[in-house]
Amino acid sequence: MTIPTVDASSPASEANLLRETERARLRALVNADIVRAQQFHAPDFQLITPIGAALSKEEYLGAIASGQIKYLIWQPADIAVRLYDGVAVLRYRAQLEVVFGGHKVALNDYWHTDTYERHDERWMVVWSQATAIN
């Protein structure tokens, strides 16, 4: 599978490309495919977790590689996309089940907001934030 590249032919096709990119990123994270996941995350990527912790790209992907974070299920619903010049914001609800530090976190709903930027003619996530829905 190739990394989706930017197609500026229309905003609708670019929005669909971003949705496809986000779903491919999630598959890489669930499969703990760190080599693939690296390609979707910008060097200065930062995640804000549902408990408010800030993780750099190295910390986040390192935790997945070591098994500290193991995604069991990450099922996104419809992904809303807002496009700007070289920047896109994605927002969606997802069902997530994860093992964190050896403790299983039960299946729950979360809101996700991701900011993407164009880097070398492809979209890369730079910021990601997840919020638990209680």
Side-chain angles (χ1 to χ4, degrees), residues 23-34 36-38 40-41 64:
R23 289 184 187 104
R25 182 178 81 91
L26 301 182
R27 282 191 300 276
L29 295 172
V30 169
N31 294 331
D33 184 346
I34 302 307
R36 182 125 175 89
Q38 292 257 7
F40 292 107
H41 295 81
I64 293 169

Side-chain angles (χ1 to χ4, degrees), residues 21-125:
T21 300
E22 179 65 3
R23 289 184 187 104
R25 182 178 81 91
L26 301 182
R27 282 191 300 276
L29 295 172
V30 169
N31 294 331
D33 184 346
I34 302 307
V35 171
R36 182 125 175 89
Q38 292 257 7
Q39 299 170 1
F40 292 107
H41 295 81
D44 57 345
F45 170 81
Q46 186 177 53
L47 167 69
I48 306 300
T49 69
I51 61 171
L55 300 177
S56 69
K57 176 181 178 176
E58 293 77 21
E59 292 167 332
Y60 181 50
L61 297 182
I64 293 169
S66 72
Q68 177 73 12
I69 298 173
K70 177 162 180 46
Y71 293 108
L72 304 175
I73 297 171
W74 193 334
Q75 185 61 47
D78 293 337
I79 299 173
V81 177
R82 295 278 182 133
L83 285 166
Y84 304 95
D85 187 25
V87 175
V89 180
L90 283 64
R91 186 183 69 192
Y92 60 92
R93 263 180 96 142
Q95 287 199 316
L96 214 71
E97 186 174 16
V98 63
V99 176
F100 184 77
H103 298 84
K104 188 174 183 180
V105 178
L107 185 67
N108 196 22
D109 289 329
Y110 295 84
W111 277 108
H112 295 269
T113 304
D114 298 298
T115 305
Y116 275 78
E117 294 176 351
R118 274 193 221 145
H119 291 270
D120 299 324
E121 295 306 310
R122 61 189 166 109
W123 290 106
M124 297 181 81
V125 64

